[in-house]
Amino acid sequence: MSATIQRPALIVADRWRDYQLLDCGLGMKQERWGPHTLVRPDPQIIWPRSGGAAAWEQWDGYYHRSETGGGRWEFRRPLPEYWEIGYGTLRFKIRPTSFKHTGLFPEQAVNWDWFAEKIRAARAAGREVSVLNLFGYTGAATCAAAAAGASVCHVDAAEGMVKWCRENVALSGLADAPVRTITDDCMKFVRREIKRGRRYDAIIMDPPTYGRGAGGEMWKLEDHLWPLLRECREVLGDRPLFFLINAYTARLSPTVVVNLLAALLHDVPGGTITGGEVGLPIERDGKTLPCGIYGRWES
C-alpha cells in the first residue's frame, strides 16, 4: 500500500523563548534574538505595519538592502561578534552576516520538534537511528537530531557553515555525540555513500534555490532536486523512519514537494506524506509570517 497523502498544512514554530518575531510590515521584520533586536528585509511582507513608528525605532541592528543587490548592516551600538540563544537544551551561535542572515532559521524549530519525537520513539523501541542532513547549514537540525539520540552525518558545501555547525554541536553539549561533519557537494557525497554501501534511517535536506558546490558545481533547485532525491533513495535503509524536505523558493508549491516524495517512496509500504508552509507567529498582531515550505514522509 502506498503512502497516505494528507492535505497541505501550515505549521508554526510557536515554542520559542529566546526568539520573537515582534512585528512585520512594509517589507521588513523586527526580531528579538536573545538580548538584541534586529530589523531585516523579507520580500513576502507586502502588508502595512500595524505597530507605531516609535516601536520600530527600537533596534540594535538594521539591515539596509541595496538596490543593486546585497546590502549592509547598521548598528546603533557595538554588538558582540556573536551571541547565543537557546531552544530547549539546544544552544546556537548567532551572528549577523553580510548577507542579512544570522546563522539560524527559527521557523524550523517546528520541524526539529517533529523529527526529534520520531527519533526518541524509535530509540525507546530499541532501534538505533542514523540521520543524513544535507545542505545542513550551521547545524541546528543536526543538533536537534543528535540530542534526540540519533547518529548524524552533516553535509554542507561551505566550510564556514560546517565549522559553525561544530560550534553549535559543542554549545549544545553534544561534543561527544555521534556527529560527522563533512564539507562536500551533496550530490557527490551521496554518490560516494552509495558506493560505500552506507545506509541511513532518515534524511533531512534544506536545498537552496541556487547554490554552488565545494568544487564550483552549480545547483538549481528545479533542475537538480529530483536527481538528488533519486540518489538519496539508494542510501535510505529498508525501514526508513522519515524524509524531510524544506525549501525557500517562492516559485515552488508545497504540493510539488509532496508529489516528489510520493514518487520517490512509492515502493515503501505504508507511510504518511504531509506538506505545507512553515511559519512564525507575529507577536504584535497575531498574524503568521510564511517562511518557506516543507514536505514530510514518515513511517
Side-chain angles (χ1 to χ4, degrees):
M1 179 180 176
S2 59
T4 299
I5 299 176
Q6 297 182 347
R7 297 180 65 180
L10 170 66
I11 55 176
V12 180
D14 57 4
R15 298 181 181 178
W16 278 99
R17 295 186 182 276
D18 283 1
Y19 170 87
Q20 280 183 298
L21 179 56
L22 300 172
D23 203 356
C24 294
L26 298 178
M28 305 297 287
K29 56 186 177 182
Q30 183 187 43
E31 305 163 286
R32 179 181 66 81
W33 296 86
H36 305 296
T37 298
L38 305 178
V39 176
R40 300 187 292 160
D42 188 309
Q44 295 206 89
I45 304 172
I46 62 174
W47 55 89
R49 293 177 181 174
S50 59
W56 277 86
E57 284 302 310
Q58 306 302 312
W59 52 264
D60 300 305
Y62 195 111
Y63 190 87
H64 299 274
R65 184 179 292 281
S66 170
E67 294 182 359
T68 58
R72 64 175 180 85
W73 283 99
E74 176 188 359
F75 297 107
R76 282 200 165 138
R77 58 187 176 89
L79 295 184
E81 180 184 355
Y82 69 89
W83 62 95
E84 298 175 21
I85 68 170
Y87 186 79
T89 63
L90 307 176
R91 301 292 297 176
F92 305 115
K93 169 184 168 182
I94 301 300
R95 178 173 65 84
T97 67
S98 59
F99 45 95
K100 89 171 182 178
H101 294 285
T102 64
L104 189 70
F105 294 104
E107 67 276 2
Q108 288 302 321
V110 69
N111 277 321
W112 310 336
D113 291 340
W114 169 75
F115 65 68
E117 183 178 347
K118 299 285 293 181
I119 293 167
R120 284 193 293 266
R123 294 278 291 151
R127 179 177 177 181
E128 298 294 324
V129 178
S130 59
V131 175
L132 175 61
N133 185 15
L134 299 173
F135 309 96
Y137 194 47
T138 62
T142 292
C143 292
S151 61
V152 188
C153 180
H154 172 104
V155 185
D156 197 281
E159 185 175 0
M161 297 299 104
V162 174
K163 179 178 181 292
W164 199 331
C165 170
R166 295 189 190 113
E167 293 169 338
N168 283 335
V169 167
L171 288 172
S172 296
L174 299 165
D176 295 327
V179 176
R180 288 194 299 156
T181 52
I182 296 172
T183 303
D184 203 350
D185 174 80
C186 288
M187 178 72 86
K188 289 183 176 180
F189 175 79
V190 170
R191 286 173 174 166
R192 282 195 291 272
E193 292 288 82
I194 293 171
K195 291 180 180 179
R196 288 187 282 254
R198 194 183 296 272
R199 309 289 287 276
Y200 295 89
D201 300 300
I203 295 177
I204 299 166
M205 64 168 62
D206 205 338
T209 304
Y210 298 99
R212 193 175 292 274
E217 305 86 355
M218 286 299 298
W219 165 273
K220 186 177 179 183
L221 187 73
E222 293 92 333
D223 295 338
H224 298 126
L225 180 56
W226 176 245
L228 175 61
L229 289 173
R230 287 190 300 180
E231 301 288 351
C232 286
R233 183 67 184 86
E234 297 298 312
V235 298
L236 199 60
D238 295 332
R239 297 170 55 217
L241 187 62
F242 65 84
F243 201 124
L244 170 65
I245 303 173
N246 294 300
Y248 292 93
T249 174
R251 298 190 301 273
L252 204 62
S253 163
T255 304
V256 172
V257 183
V258 167
N259 291 345
L260 286 168
L261 287 170
L264 185 71
L265 298 165
H266 67 91
D267 58 339
V268 180
T272 301
I273 300 175
T274 308
E277 290 184 292
V278 61
L280 286 165
I282 303 171
E283 181 72 17
R284 179 166 296 277
D285 57 16
K287 294 187 182 75
T288 299
L289 175 65
C291 301
I293 63 174
Y294 72 94
R296 299 169 171 175
W297 181 97
E298 59 186 299
S299 62

